[in-house]
Amino acid sequence: MKLQRIGHRYLDQASGQTIDTWFAASNAKKRRSCLAEKVGLIRGEFVEVVIESLDLPPVSTEDAYLRLHLLSERAVLPNGLNLEGLFGWLPVVAWTSAGPVFPAQVEALRDLLAAEFHHLTVPSIDRFPRMTDYVVPSGVRIADADRVRLGAHLAEGTTVMHEGFVNFNAGTLGESMVEGRVTPGVIVGKHSDIGAGASIMGTLSGGGKQKNAVGERSLLGANAGIGISLGDECIVEAGLYVTAGTKVKLPDGQVVSARALSGQSGLLFRRNSQTGAVEVLPTDSGRWGGLNAALHVNT
């Protein structure tokens, strides 16, 4: 599938290197402005970006930014496009209150802003900006926008609480609660809850290639974690981390590695408080009651 979009990019004035690129959802020529441009450290210009195929890896900074926009615009699902080599095309940027600049330019920017009565703040130095500075998807709530990177895919009805974190090429497929970490490559099904402090191993965890997911109507308890996929109507009790190699005791007494259960539905993972053994029992979403509908009115 060939894509063609009009973007507005910022370039470092001294080196001519692209800092970032923003694509208006309407694909119209819309420019941005900021104080870093006003004082001459960066310049803005329009650019036409063509992606011949999403199956091919990005070939420029502008191309990389367009792919991240497509994910956050919900035009493609996580793992639905080639992001090989993405990090190499994304420069480290100081995301400041006066606009994006390279980190080495922050002090010069501060000096040049002295006459502008602007108190410069630098909330982040990173390759990825906040999603909400580039794309604001409809029907979502995000308590702390610093914790959602551009390239996150948030479906309608998603709530990301203050301690929730959603990385690029990861996200939700429907109404859901995110209070823990959703890492690259991870997809969370509708009506599921990622509890406070919980985490899911993604494709960048230790260089792994496994694409883990959480099914529908599932609960990952507070401070729990998984290195496997969960199917529908699964529960992992609070504080329990289940890796692929975790030895799990089945109802019939058999002990297997948790990877053998990856993706299966209707399972409750818990630790026996007397023996310390990790056990698996059959369950259903009714065991935890499901999402609170009153908390997911996001319009």
Side-chain angles (χ1 to χ4, degrees):
M1 179 177 66
K2 183 176 181 178
L3 293 170
Q4 186 170 333
R5 292 277 292 271
I6 299 295
H8 182 264
R9 64 184 174 189
Y10 280 135
L11 300 99
D12 177 62
Q13 190 69 274
S15 67
Q17 184 180 351
T18 298
I19 298 173
D20 79 334
T21 308
W22 169 66
F23 297 88
S26 62
N27 202 30
K29 277 192 172 183
K30 293 186 177 182
R31 64 168 286 110
R32 300 171 290 171
S33 61
C34 64
L35 287 172
E37 182 179 16
K38 180 180 179 181
V39 299
L41 284 184
I42 66 175
R43 71 176 189 273
E45 64 181 27
F46 293 109
V47 60
E48 183 176 87
V49 180
V50 177
I51 298 179
E52 295 293 339
S53 171
L54 293 177
D55 294 329
L56 298 174
V59 297
S60 67
T61 299
E62 294 81 1
D63 180 325
Y65 265 88
L66 178 52
R67 291 171 195 250
L68 295 176
H69 275 71
L70 293 172
L71 285 161
S72 292
E73 291 171 356
R74 307 170 181 149
V76 295
L77 293 175
N79 305 314
L81 72 174
N82 191 333
L83 298 177
E84 184 180 354
L86 180 79
F87 276 56
W89 291 112
L90 298 177
V92 176
V93 175
W95 305 101
T96 84
S97 55
V101 298
F102 289 140
Q105 297 281 39
V106 170
E107 287 308 307
L109 177 60
R110 196 184 307 276
D111 293 341
L112 291 167
L113 291 177
E116 299 291 339
F117 296 93
H118 177 81
H119 177 71
L120 184 70
T121 59
V122 186
S124 175
I125 301 174
D126 195 9
R127 297 184 189 276
F128 294 81
R130 292 181 297 204
M131 179 188 74
T132 53
D133 290 342
Y134 293 75
V135 178
V136 179
S138 61
V140 304
R141 285 190 293 139
I142 303 172
D144 186 350
D146 285 342
R147 298 181 65 82
V148 180
R149 276 175 154 181
L150 181 63
H153 179 287
L154 301 184
E156 292 261 358
T158 298
T159 297
V160 183
M161 296 300 290
H162 293 79
E163 294 305 313
F165 173 77
V166 186
N167 215 326
F168 75 100
N169 196 37
T172 60
L173 300 182
E175 179 180 299
S176 55
M177 175 71 78
V178 179
E179 300 176 89
R181 295 178 55 84
V182 182
T183 51
V186 172
I187 297 176
V188 178
K190 61 184 179 181
H191 304 301
S192 288
D193 187 329
I194 308 303
S199 63
I200 308 164
M201 286 187 185
T203 52
L204 297 184
S205 302
K209 300 294 184 182
Q210 179 69 30
K211 296 176 181 177
N212 290 320
V214 174
E216 299 182 2
R217 302 175 302 281
S218 290
L219 170 66
L220 187 57
N223 295 316
I226 51 173
I228 62 172
S229 291
L230 297 181
D232 299 337
E233 300 186 346
C234 287
I235 300 172
V236 179
E237 76 165 7
L240 176 62
Y241 208 115
V242 181
T243 67
T246 299
K247 298 302 181 182
V248 175
K249 185 177 182 180
L250 303 180
D252 63 3
Q254 182 183 2
V255 176
V256 301
S257 294
R259 65 170 56 90
L261 304 175
S262 184
Q264 293 189 28
S265 297
L267 301 179
L268 164 63
F269 293 82
R270 72 179 188 186
R271 186 178 296 279
N272 187 302
S273 61
Q274 294 181 316
T275 67
V278 179
E279 301 173 338
V280 173
L281 299 173
T283 189
D284 59 69
S285 62
R287 295 287 291 271
W288 66 279
L291 295 177
N292 185 338
L295 296 179
H296 288 273
V297 180
N298 291 349
T299 57

